[in-house]
Amino acid sequence: MERSRYGVRDEIRDTAEAFYRAVTNKNLKGIDTIWAHEPYASVAGRSGQIRQGWSNVRGYWEQRFQQLGDTKVEAKLRNMLVHAVGDVAWVSGTEIRRVTEDGSARQEDLRMTAVLERRGSGWQIVSYHASEGAPSRSLAVAS
């Protein structure tokens, strides 16, 4: 069986995985490396507030890591969909967070989409959005 080639999608997956390692480890230097330092960079976490511009994006992560304190968050992306056209790519999937606080753990499943741009031989995030899914409801069908 032939080994598949390492390609653009693999590079993008590597960047997404590096992002989740940085989040899990509350590693602000990792965030600095993974994100594009651009005025159009943006982040929209669960708070609903959108922050734009690299300094605001960095401030978001710095504040988020400080707010978490001793709370441990292990984050991974499941059901990852990766697409690229030229030097722009987007990643979507289910962000799985295992949150451990005061000895008890809970799991959060969020919808996530990120946009990346090719920078030299790698990829950097320019936009990230995570949100909770809408509550499941049975839809009544009118007859």
Side-chain angles (χ1 to χ4, degrees), residues 94-108:
T94 303
E95 187 173 296
I96 309 295
R97 297 180 184 175
R98 181 173 168 79
V99 181
T100 306
E101 185 174 25
D102 299 326
S104 85
R106 70 180 185 279
Q107 181 171 306
E108 300 174 345

Side-chain angles (χ1 to χ4, degrees), residues 3 8 23 27 43-44 50-51 54 58 83 93 98 107 118 126 128 132:
R3 182 180 169 164
V8 169
V23 169
N27 180 351
V43 62
I50 298 172
R51 297 191 187 190
W54 167 243
R58 190 179 195 283
H83 300 280
R98 181 173 168 79
Q107 181 171 306
R118 184 188 307 273
V126 293
Y128 165 86
E132 295 179 28

Side-chain angles (χ1 to χ4, degrees), residues 11-121:
E11 294 169 0
I12 296 163
R13 282 188 183 101
D14 288 350
T15 301
E17 289 169 3
F19 168 69
Y20 284 108
R21 277 194 305 277
V23 169
T24 295
N25 294 317
K26 300 176 194 166
N27 180 351
L28 202 52
K29 287 183 182 180
I31 295 294
D32 288 344
T33 301
I34 294 160
W35 278 79
H37 299 196
E38 297 291 345
Y40 54 84
S42 65
V43 62
R46 290 172 49 191
S47 68
Q49 182 182 13
I50 298 172
R51 297 191 187 190
Q52 187 172 18
W54 167 243
S55 62
N56 292 323
V57 168
R58 190 179 195 283
Y60 169 86
W61 290 110
E62 187 173 22
Q63 180 182 22
R64 184 74 180 123
F65 294 161
Q66 287 173 356
Q67 288 171 340
L68 287 170
D70 293 333
T71 300
K72 184 177 180 180
V73 178
E74 296 174 67
K76 294 183 179 183
L77 191 60
R78 298 267 164 78
N79 305 319
M80 189 184 315
L81 303 173
V82 178
H83 300 280
V85 177
D87 290 339
V88 176
W90 55 99
V91 176
S92 298
T94 303
E95 187 173 296
I96 309 295
R97 297 180 184 175
R98 181 173 168 79
V99 181
T100 306
E101 185 174 25
D102 299 326
S104 85
R106 70 180 185 279
Q107 181 171 306
E108 300 174 345
D109 296 0
L110 304 174
R111 297 176 298 185
M112 187 287 288
T113 300
V115 178
L116 299 87
E117 289 181 344
R118 184 188 307 273
R119 302 292 170 122
S121 62

